[in-house]
Amino acid sequence: MIGIDRDTGATVDDWPQFVQRATRALTTPLGTRQKRPKYGSNLVTRLSKNLGDELLLLAQSDAAETFYNEANGISDFEPDTIVAVREGAGLRLRLAGTWRNRKMQFEVAT
């Protein structure tokens, strides 16, 4: 699949394009797209709360759920490890797993 980088406007494909799609799905609140109400993640709704250890566990769970939601179109990545860490006023997700039979990893700041 070929796409357009949302920051530069350059053409992206393969892994960078997937990372962009996954980042968009993880940072879009569930139910906010009118024509695709099942698209997105519950992860963003948790960010307004105090970032305690239990919230980090819930964030990891929400991130995993996002990859198994068929409406997001990112199920071609099978997460092995999802780690949420505090960063500034939000959190950073570190994800590692299998994508097209290759071990890959990326980070998402929310």
Side-chain angles (χ1 to χ4, degrees):
M1 184 180 296
I2 296 176
I4 304 271
D5 186 286
R6 65 190 297 174
D7 297 324
T8 65
T11 303
V12 292
D13 63 353
D14 203 39
W15 179 246
Q17 199 272 340
F18 171 78
V19 171
Q20 184 171 296
R21 282 188 303 135
T23 301
R24 189 177 312 119
L26 286 163
T27 57
T28 300
L30 193 62
T32 57
R33 290 202 173 177
Q34 189 168 2
K35 292 187 178 185
R36 294 178 66 191
K38 294 181 180 177
Y39 180 88
S41 174
N42 285 323
L43 176 66
V44 182
T45 60
R46 300 200 189 275
L47 294 180
S48 62
K49 304 199 174 32
N50 188 6
L51 281 175
D53 291 339
E54 57 207 32
L55 187 71
L56 292 177
L57 282 172
L58 290 171
Q60 291 170 180
S61 172
D62 289 338
E65 185 178 318
T66 302
F67 285 97
Y68 294 105
N69 179 355
E70 291 295 323
N72 292 329
I74 56 173
S75 60
D76 48 342
F77 180 80
E78 228 176 275
D80 295 328
T81 306
I82 301 174
V83 178
V85 294
R86 292 174 196 86
E87 182 178 273
L91 60 90
R92 177 172 295 274
L93 289 171
R94 294 187 178 117
L95 301 110
T98 306
W99 181 74
R100 295 187 181 172
N101 295 322
R102 294 185 277 176
K103 292 289 185 183
M104 304 298 275
Q105 57 185 353
F106 66 101
E107 292 186 357
V108 176
T110 57

